[in-house]
Amino acid sequence: MEELPGLLAAHARLALVALGAALAIAVPAGVLAHRRPGLGRVLTGAAGVVQTVPGLALLALMVPLLAALALPSIGVLPAFLGLTLYGVLPVLQNTAAGLASVDDAAREAARGVGMTERQMLFQVELPLALPVVVAGVRTATVWTVGMATLSTPIGAPSLGNLIFAGLQTRNYADVLTGCVASAVLALLLDGLVRLLELGTRVRRRGLVRTGLAGLAALATLAFVPLAASSGSSASPLRIGAKTFTEQYVLAEVLAAEAEEAGAETEVVASLGSTVAFDALRSGEIDVYVDYSGTLWATVMERPLEGAVRATLRAEVPRWLEATHGIEVLASLGFENTYAFAVRPETAAEGLRSLEDLAPRSARMSIGGDYELFRRAEWEAVRAGYGLGFRERRPMDPALMVDALLRGDVDVIGAFSTDGRLAELSVLTDPREIIPPYDALVLARRGFRAAYPEAAARFEALEGALDAATMRRLNQAVDGQGEPPREVAQRWRSARP
Amino acid sequence: MSAPALRLSGLSKGFGAQPVVRELDLVVRAGELVVLLGASGSGKTTLLKMINRLVPPDAGRVELAGEDVAKLPGHALRRRIGYVFQRIGLFPHLTVAENVGVTPRLLGWAPERIEARVRTLLSQVDLPRELATRFPAALSGGQQQRVGVARALAAEPELLLFDEPFGALDPVTRDRLQGLVEGLRGRFAGVFVTHDVSEALRLGDRIAVLHEGRIVQLAAPEELVRRPAHAQVAALLDAPARQADAFGRLRGG
C-alpha cells in the first residue's frame, strides 16, 4: 500500500495531461465541425470509430503503432495517446452540438453590433454553448480517469497496478484500494469542472477561484513527485513482469539483485505477454523472465514437433542473440509448463492423463488463461489427444483454480508452478506434446555493457530456483497474501 | 452643402435569378428618418441589410457621410451604424448594461466612459437603473427592445437602422416604443423598415414605398397620403384608411 501515493500521482498526471490534450484537440475540432458540417461528419465519424474500440484494446493497439513509428512503444506515451483519443469524442460532439444550439438571432446581433467572426465565436457562441460543452468535458473526465487504470498492461504506472497485481495475487484489499482511489479522483475532477462551469455561468468569482485552486492543487500533487525524483537518476534499470504472480516475484528477485549491484531499479509490472518481449526488443525494459517454450512457439513461431529440451536449450538463445541481440543470462532452474488439471474427485474416477480425457472431453468444459486457446501448444495438445470440449472459457489465471474447484469448469490449463496446484490433480502428458518451458532471464541488446555488475549477479542465478521452491513462493503470495517483494527478499536472505 | 448622412446609388441584389433590389438610389439627410414601407417580399429588409453589409450587394455604392464604405471591413462599418433587430437579439449571457455597452467595448472605449454612456441611454429609453445588472430573460418584450434601441445608440453611430423592430410587440407596447423613437427624432439619421402604414406615417420624415425592388414613391407623409403616385401606394394606404373610417363610424355612432 506504500505505493498508493506514487501510483495516484502517476494516475492523476496521466489523466490530466490526456484530458488537456483531448480538450486542446476536441474544442477546435468541434468549432471546425460546426463551421463545416461536411468535415464535421468526417471528424465525428472518426472519433466515433475510436470510441467503439474497447478501451484496453485501444491502448494495446498504440504499442505496435508507436513501435512502427520507432517511438517509445510502452509506458506513458502509448497510454497518453490512447486516453487522449478516447477523450476526444464526447468533447468534440458536445462542442459542435452546443454551437448548433446557439440561437441565430444572437449570431445576427453579434455581426450587427460589429463583432468579427472571431469575436463572435469567443464572446457569443462559445459562452452560449458552454453548458453543453462542459457536459462533454465531464463525460470525458470520468472516462479518462477510469480508463487510465487500463494503462498498466502497456507499461504506464497507474492505479491499475494495484488492480491488476491485486487480482493476480488475490490481494483484494489492493484491488479495492485501486478502484476507490480511481473513483474518488474521477469524482473530484468532475466536481472541479462543474464548479468552474457553474462559477462562470452565474459569475461567482469565488466559485471559479475555488475550482482553479482545486485543479492547481491536484496538478501540483500529481507533478511534484516527478520533479523531486527526476533529480536523482536519469533512467533506472527497468525490469519487466507479465501479468501473473510468479512474474511479480521473479521481477522483485531481479530488482533486489540489481540494487545490490548498485543500480536503481523500476519494476514495470503487469505487461501483456507479447508486450513484454516487444518492450525488451525495443529496449523499453532491460530484463525480464520468459519461458523457452513460449519463446519457441509464440515468438519464434517454430513447430512443436521436435521441441525437446535439448533442442530448445541450444536454439532459443542462439536465435534471440542472432535476431534481436537479446542475451539469455541464466536459466533459473525450473520450468513453468502447462499443467492440465482436474478436481481430485474427477481424477478418482480414473482420469490420470490427457489420453484418459479424450473420450470424456465432449461432456466437459475447460478453462484457460487469455492466450491458451490461441496458442500452438493448445492446438497440438487438442489434435494430439483428440480432445473436443463442450465449452472453452478463457479467464484470468488468478480465478482458474477457484473456477475448477467450484465446478464452473471441469479441466483447467494451469501453470505447473502455481502454488495452489497441490489442491488439484495434474494430468500427465504421455505423448510428450507439451514443450519444455524453462524460465530464462533475458537481457536487452547492450545490457551487459551498460550494467556489467548486475549482469554478473543475474548470471549467478543459474539453477538457483527449483520448481518446488517456485511453487512455494507463489503459494506465499497467492495463498497467504504476502507481498511479492517480501517473498522475494525472504527467499534471497535464506539462500546460502 | 455638407454630404448627406447616407447615399445609396445603383444598389442591386438578386437571390439566384430573382432580383430583389434593382438599381436603387436613396439619400438620407442628416437628422432625417426615412421609412422604407412595403409589403412582404418588396425587398425592404434586404435593402436595409445591404447598408451595413449584413447582406453583400451585387452592385452599387453605399456612402456614409460622403465616404464610400466598400473598402471598410464589414465589422468596422457595422460599428459605425446602430442596428435595431426584428428578433431583438439581446445576448442572453450578458447583463443589460453589458448588452448596451457591447459596441463601445468593441471600439475600445474606457470602462468609465462606457458606464456613463450606458447610464444616460437607459434613462433615455425610460428603463429603471436597477435593470442594468439584470439578464435579458428577466425583462418583458417591450423592455428588451428598449435595451435593443439603447444598444443601437450606444456608440454614437452615424446612422441608425431599424429592421421592423416593433412588429412582434403588442399594440400598446408598440405605441410606447414608437413614442420613444418619435421623441429621439432629429437627433439621428436613420432608415426604418416597416410594413405598418400608420407606423410609417407617424415616424417618417420621408417615406420610400418599395415595390418589387424599386422605390415607387419617395415623399413626406402628407404628400404620400394626398397624392399617391403609384397603384401600389394607393393599395397600401387603402387598408388603414378603411380601418380609420370604421373606427370613426363606431366612435361617431
Side-chain angles (χ1 to χ4, degrees):
Chain A
M1 209 60 57
E2 75 275 16
E3 338 114 283
L4 180 62
L7 291 176
L8 188 59
H11 194 100
R13 205 151 59 220
L14 186 59
L16 282 173
V17 174
L19 263 175
L23 287 187
I25 295 168
V27 173
V31 172
L32 203 62
H34 171 68
R35 293 264 163 101
R36 303 209 188 147
L39 185 62
R41 274 191 290 279
V42 174
L43 288 174
T44 317
V49 167
V50 168
Q51 211 72 65
T52 61
V53 179
L56 184 58
L58 180 69
L59 290 174
L61 281 173
M62 292 298 128
V63 175
L65 192 74
L66 286 171
L69 298 170
L71 288 166
S73 62
I74 73 153
V76 175
L77 186 63
F80 161 73
L81 281 183
L83 292 176
T84 301
L85 280 178
Y86 218 65
V88 163
L89 180 74
V91 182
L92 167 65
Q93 261 179 347
N94 279 42
T95 304
L99 289 174
S101 74
V102 172
D103 189 355
D104 267 333
R107 242 180 233 117
E108 185 188 39
R111 288 203 182 90
V113 300
M115 288 189 190
T116 61
E117 292 293 303
R118 196 184 167 76
Q119 286 167 333
M120 176 167 82
L121 178 66
F122 285 104
Q123 297 182 25
V124 176
E125 293 183 289
L126 283 176
L128 290 178
L130 189 69
V132 184
V133 177
V134 168
V137 173
R138 291 178 56 191
T139 306
T141 302
V142 174
W143 285 1
T144 305
V145 174
M147 198 170 121
T149 56
L150 300 179
S151 49
T152 294
I154 56 171
S158 74
L159 291 168
N161 286 32
L162 292 175
I163 298 169
F164 279 87
L167 279 175
Q168 283 315 309
T169 58
R170 292 154 62 94
N171 186 336
Y172 293 112
D174 270 10
V175 176
L176 203 64
T177 306
C179 293
V180 169
S182 165
V184 167
L185 184 64
L187 291 175
L188 186 69
L189 256 178
D190 179 54
L192 289 174
V193 171
R194 229 186 115 191
L195 203 63
L196 279 176
E197 192 259 338
L198 187 71
T200 312
R201 194 154 42 84
V202 304
R203 301 201 186 181
R204 292 271 298 280
R205 286 236 180 83
L207 290 183
V208 175
R209 261 192 229 121
T210 311
L212 286 177
L215 273 182
L218 199 63
T220 309
L221 289 176
F223 285 93
V224 159
L226 191 70
S229 69
S230 66
S232 57
S233 160
S235 64
L237 194 163
R238 286 158 68 91
I239 298 155
K242 299 194 203 185
T243 55
F244 46 94
T245 304
E246 177 172 302
Q247 286 274 323
Y248 300 133
V249 175
L250 293 175
E252 294 296 350
V253 168
L254 294 181
E257 291 291 337
E259 277 158 24
E260 225 148 90
E264 284 213 29
T265 63
E266 180 188 349
V267 173
V268 185
S270 304
L271 295 173
S273 179
T274 52
V275 170
F277 185 81
D278 289 341
L280 187 76
R281 201 184 49 184
S282 63
E284 306 277 345
I285 57 173
D286 295 296
V287 288
Y288 83 105
V289 174
D290 213 330
Y291 306 92
S292 57
T294 301
L295 293 165
W296 178 266
T298 308
V299 178
M300 298 163 67
E301 297 182 345
R302 298 290 181 85
L304 288 173
E305 299 93 67
V308 295
R309 179 161 275 115
T311 312
L312 264 59
R313 195 165 276 170
E315 270 295 291
V316 170
R318 199 195 56 72
W319 185 88
L320 288 173
E321 173 77 50
T323 317
H324 298 297
I326 291 171
E327 195 180 351
V328 177
L329 293 177
S331 181
L332 290 172
F334 71 93
E335 73 163 331
N336 182 1
T337 184
Y338 277 107
F340 290 90
V342 294
R343 288 181 292 275
E345 58 268 31
T346 317
E349 294 165 13
L351 201 59
R352 305 272 175 217
S353 74
L354 287 166
E355 246 163 10
D356 301 337
L357 199 56
R360 313 192 201 185
S361 61
R363 278 172 285 118
M364 299 174 115
S365 71
I366 181 167
D369 67 90
Y370 302 119
E371 50 185 306
L372 173 66
F373 302 114
R374 314 292 304 251
R375 287 179 68 135
E377 293 94 319
W378 163 252
E379 203 42 48
V381 166
R382 197 193 58 74
Y385 290 103
L387 304 178
F389 287 93
R390 178 169 59 79
E391 185 191 21
R392 290 178 197 171
R393 295 178 65 178
M395 61 181 79
D396 194 288
L399 307 175
M400 281 196 299
V401 173
D402 287 332
L404 180 66
L405 290 175
R406 266 202 313 271
D408 294 340
V409 292
D410 305 304
V411 185
I412 57 171
F415 301 110
S416 62
T417 52
D418 190 320
R420 284 173 300 154
L421 222 51
E423 305 165 49
L424 312 174
S425 300
V426 175
L427 301 175
T428 58
D429 173 23
R431 296 182 198 170
E432 294 184 336
I433 289 174
I434 303 171
Y437 290 87
D438 292 323
L440 307 174
V441 179
L442 307 185
R444 67 164 168 89
R445 185 193 295 273
F447 176 76
R448 187 187 290 278
Y451 298 97
E453 288 162 45
R457 285 194 155 266
F458 293 161
E459 281 180 317
L461 290 171
E462 177 78 28
L465 266 163
D466 60 21
T469 308
M470 193 67 241
R471 248 196 308 275
R472 194 160 46 72
L473 301 186
N474 287 340
Q475 179 61 17
V477 175
D478 288 339
Q480 279 96 55
E482 292 180 49
R485 191 172 180 82
E486 282 172 28
V487 171
Q489 262 151 7
R490 207 175 49 234
W491 172 74
R492 289 184 68 249
S493 57
R495 278 182 78 196
Chain B
M1 188 185 146
S2 68
L6 175 73
R7 181 195 296 277
L8 308 178
S9 30
L11 215 53
S12 296
K13 180 73 187 180
F15 292 117
Q18 183 66 39
V20 179
V21 175
R22 313 177 194 219
E23 293 182 24
L24 188 140
D25 301 326
L26 180 69
V27 168
V28 178
R29 298 181 209 113
E32 179 189 39
L33 183 61
V34 172
V35 172
L36 295 178
L37 177 65
S40 306
S42 60
K44 55 192 190 304
T45 291
T46 302
L47 173 59
L48 192 77
K49 288 184 172 171
M50 279 194 285
I51 297 172
N52 74 350
R53 223 185 298 145
L54 280 177
V55 171
D58 292 342
R61 186 177 161 97
V62 177
E63 281 171 45
L64 212 53
E67 177 192 352
D68 181 0
V69 297
K71 286 183 198 74
L72 278 181
H75 62 90
L77 171 65
R78 290 191 276 271
R79 288 173 193 179
R80 290 168 57 179
I81 300 176
Y83 201 107
V84 186
F85 298 88
Q86 185 173 17
R87 290 185 288 177
I88 306 178
L90 296 185
F91 302 117
H93 62 300
L94 300 183
T95 63
V96 165
E98 287 165 336
N99 265 286
V100 173
V102 67
T103 306
R105 197 168 46 75
L106 292 172
L107 289 166
W109 288 20
E112 310 79 58
R113 186 177 167 207
I114 297 177
E115 205 182 312
R117 179 73 180 148
V118 168
R119 244 196 327 270
T120 312
L121 283 166
L122 288 184
S123 80
Q124 261 182 36
V125 299
D126 295 324
L127 282 175
R129 188 179 292 180
E130 57 270 22
L131 287 190
T133 54
R134 302 270 178 83
F135 286 91
L139 272 56
S140 71
Q143 287 175 322
Q144 289 188 17
Q145 196 56 298
R146 281 174 193 272
V147 177
V149 172
R151 182 174 67 177
L153 286 165
E156 293 163 353
E158 296 159 52
L159 186 73
L160 273 181
L161 303 179
F162 297 83
D163 182 9
E164 298 188 45
F166 311 137
L169 301 174
D170 67 86
V172 176
T173 309
R174 193 186 313 159
D175 179 63
R176 290 205 185 122
L177 278 153
Q178 286 167 354
L180 171 69
V181 174
E182 222 173 10
L184 295 167
R185 208 164 173 171
R187 291 200 237 167
F188 64 89
V191 180
F192 192 112
V193 163
T194 184
H195 57 244
D196 178 342
V197 179
S198 49
E199 187 170 72
L201 295 173
R202 177 174 179 187
L203 298 180
D205 294 309
R206 288 188 298 156
I207 297 169
V209 180
L210 239 69
H211 181 57
E212 294 178 346
R214 289 198 179 88
I215 294 175
V216 293
Q217 187 171 8
L218 173 63
E222 307 78 19
E223 167 92 4
L224 197 77
V225 173
R226 290 186 192 145
R227 283 185 285 279
H230 189 273
Q232 182 64 23
V233 181
L236 274 171
L237 290 170
D238 221 23
R242 267 203 302 274
Q243 282 168 10
D245 286 351
F247 190 71
R249 270 201 305 279
L250 287 172
R251 227 178 211 178

